[in-house]
Amino acid sequence: MKLKIHIANAWYENKCWLYLLWPFAKIYQFVISLRKWLYNKGWFAQTKFTIPVIVVGNITVGGTGKTSIVIWLAQELQRRHLKPGIVSRGYQSQLKNYPRIVRSTDVAAQVGDEPLLIAQATGCPVVIDPNRVQAVDYLLKNFACDIVLTDDGLQHYALGRDIEICCIDANKQFGNRLCLPAGPLREPLNRLETIDYLLVKGKNNSVNYPAVYVNSQVKKLPSYYFNYQPEKLRNCQDPLQTKAINFLQDKSVILITGIAQPENFQQTMASITNVKAMRIFADHHQFTPADFAGLENDLVIMTYKDAVKCQSLAHANCWFLEIQVQMESDVVSAILAKIAKIKNF
């Protein structure tokens, strides 16, 4: 874990030693660019579907808020009387047979923390399968969905899509702009040429995100900014038990988290209450009773993503922070209008 964190930090601090990995980054970039070219030319098959498919992902490694955006977008579509279905790779799922519908009563260690979080938060049918084409096909055969969202999958070119949404972090941006393993990029920056919408978490006034340099040309990207608004606290043992945020005033808390960017969670909580200590684990960490040892008398706060894995481990004074995405502009109407031009929708 410490090695992963060290390398990830180096990507965003532009450490000189990373250029020792530059040859490997160029090989990686060549392979993924060749793969994309083969899909574009039809050498590799891409499956299209009759209903709209929206891919929400990123071109960098690490948390950029894509799962939160999938949840928010699904809820917004539901408010517009649509019936979204959601597919996910099911990262860290222990299942052997796919596709698989995710039930709100499932265990995160079995189906993956993010799919379980999405299923619980939205009530939408969520299907996991490393083969997202199979996942969408299963979804459409078994549920009355009229639009599909995919949690991650910009690089899963076998799945045809109508809209591509790329999420980025306003402060971390694209790091040193190198591909893996020398930098955080899953794909080179020119991948942004085909992105439909850029959703930026936070806001950095020193960066004009709609103007992104692609192949030495300035490309205007439809960009929207979003932030997280703390809504309430829910009890980890009994999620139906809630408390208002002001419950934390004049209290000291312990934070426990296993997410990609724990510093964001820490900053949010520090703006609300006194953070006495923090236990940080790797992203997608599978929690054990030892992770809560010695905290029986403490007020513990977690993220929702962590809490879905800890219902049987947490003590009665463990709570998770429920957040709401706040979007700067009405990107949903823009997305639906664009889909209407593509399909009879």
Side-chain angles (χ1 to χ4, degrees):
M1 172 193 167
K2 290 182 179 180
L3 178 60
K4 288 182 179 179
I5 292 175
H6 179 65
I7 292 176
N9 289 340
W11 289 337
Y12 296 97
E13 295 168 358
N14 203 20
K15 296 294 186 181
C16 293
W17 62 266
L18 286 170
Y19 285 89
L20 296 173
L21 301 175
W22 184 83
F24 301 101
K26 297 306 288 185
I27 294 171
Y28 171 88
Q29 183 174 333
F30 171 78
V31 171
I32 60 174
S33 297
L34 175 62
R35 178 174 170 272
K36 185 172 185 289
W37 182 84
L38 290 170
Y39 273 106
N40 289 340
K41 295 297 182 181
W43 288 85
F44 290 168
Q46 185 178 72
T47 302
K48 300 278 189 178
F49 290 91
T50 56
I51 70 171
V53 175
I54 302 175
V55 175
V56 180
N58 52 23
I59 64 168
T60 57
V61 174
T64 55
K66 60 180 175 53
T67 299
S68 297
I69 290 297
V70 168
I71 292 171
W72 169 81
L73 185 53
Q75 292 170 341
E76 288 295 314
L77 293 173
Q78 287 171 320
R79 290 189 186 101
R80 288 163 168 80
H81 308 292
L82 294 172
K83 299 176 181 177
I86 301 169
V87 300
S88 171
R89 172 189 172 191
Y91 179 70
Q92 285 197 336
S93 165
Q94 297 179 355
L95 299 173
K96 294 182 179 179
N97 296 315
Y98 297 98
R100 162 74 144 79
I101 182 69
V102 178
R103 303 174 183 86
S104 60
T105 54
D106 278 331
V107 177
Q110 186 179 33
V111 298
D113 49 13
E114 290 171 348
L116 180 58
L117 168 59
I118 294 169
Q120 290 184 354
T122 66
C124 293
V126 178
V127 175
I128 57 173
D129 193 326
N131 184 329
R132 289 178 180 84
V133 172
Q134 288 185 172
V136 174
D137 189 57
Y138 182 88
L139 188 67
L140 300 185
K141 287 179 179 177
N142 292 277
F143 299 93
C145 300
D146 49 23
I147 191 166
V148 173
L149 307 178
T150 77
D151 180 28
D152 209 356
L154 283 180
Q155 294 77 34
H156 194 87
Y157 292 114
L159 175 64
R161 68 284 309 266
D162 300 286
I163 296 288
E164 289 188 325
I165 297 173
C166 180
C167 300
I168 69 170
D169 184 278
N171 293 312
K172 291 198 170 184
Q173 303 165 41
F174 305 106
N176 59 13
R177 300 192 169 211
L178 297 176
C179 284
L180 292 166
L185 293 182
R186 295 175 169 186
E187 298 182 90
L189 274 180
N190 62 11
R191 175 66 170 89
L192 295 175
E193 289 180 328
T194 55
I195 295 296
D196 295 290
Y197 298 97
L198 199 65
L199 300 189
V200 184
K201 183 175 67 174
K203 197 160 188 177
N204 186 334
N205 292 327
S206 66
V207 181
N208 182 19
Y209 283 101
V212 177
Y213 285 91
V214 181
N215 290 339
S216 300
Q217 301 295 319
V218 176
K219 177 180 175 61
K220 295 291 184 179
L221 297 174
S223 302
Y224 298 82
Y225 298 91
F226 70 96
N227 271 304
Y228 297 140
Q229 178 64 39
E231 289 281 295
K232 62 175 74 75
L233 297 170
R234 289 189 182 273
N235 189 268
C236 292
Q237 287 185 348
D238 178 16
L240 295 179
Q241 182 183 352
T242 65
K243 288 187 180 294
I245 295 298
N246 59 17
F247 164 74
L248 296 175
Q249 289 181 358
D250 303 320
K251 291 184 172 61
S252 294
V253 303
I254 305 290
L255 305 184
I256 297 181
T257 187
I259 58 176
Q261 294 189 28
E263 63 274 13
N264 291 345
F265 179 47
Q266 183 179 25
Q267 290 169 7
T268 298
M269 293 306 305
S271 69
I272 297 171
T273 187
N274 176 48
V275 177
K276 184 167 59 175
M278 189 170 183
R279 293 187 179 182
I280 301 176
F281 300 92
D283 193 18
H284 300 286
H285 175 69
Q286 295 300 322
F287 291 92
T288 67
D291 298 329
F292 294 85
L295 301 180
E296 292 78 8
N297 298 317
D298 288 292
L299 176 56
V300 174
I301 309 295
M302 310 182 75
T303 69
Y304 196 166
K305 177 179 170 180
D306 298 314
V308 296
K309 297 178 282 188
C310 298
Q311 191 167 4
S312 63
L313 303 174
H315 59 71
N317 212 17
C318 291
W319 303 79
F320 67 86
L321 182 67
E322 188 171 286
I323 60 171
Q324 179 64 40
V325 169
Q326 288 191 327
M327 193 67 63
E328 180 184 59
S329 304
D330 187 7
V331 64
V332 179
S333 293
I335 290 171
L336 292 178
K338 186 162 188 171
I339 289 176
K341 292 180 180 180
I342 300 171
K343 296 191 172 184
N344 184 21
F345 184 71

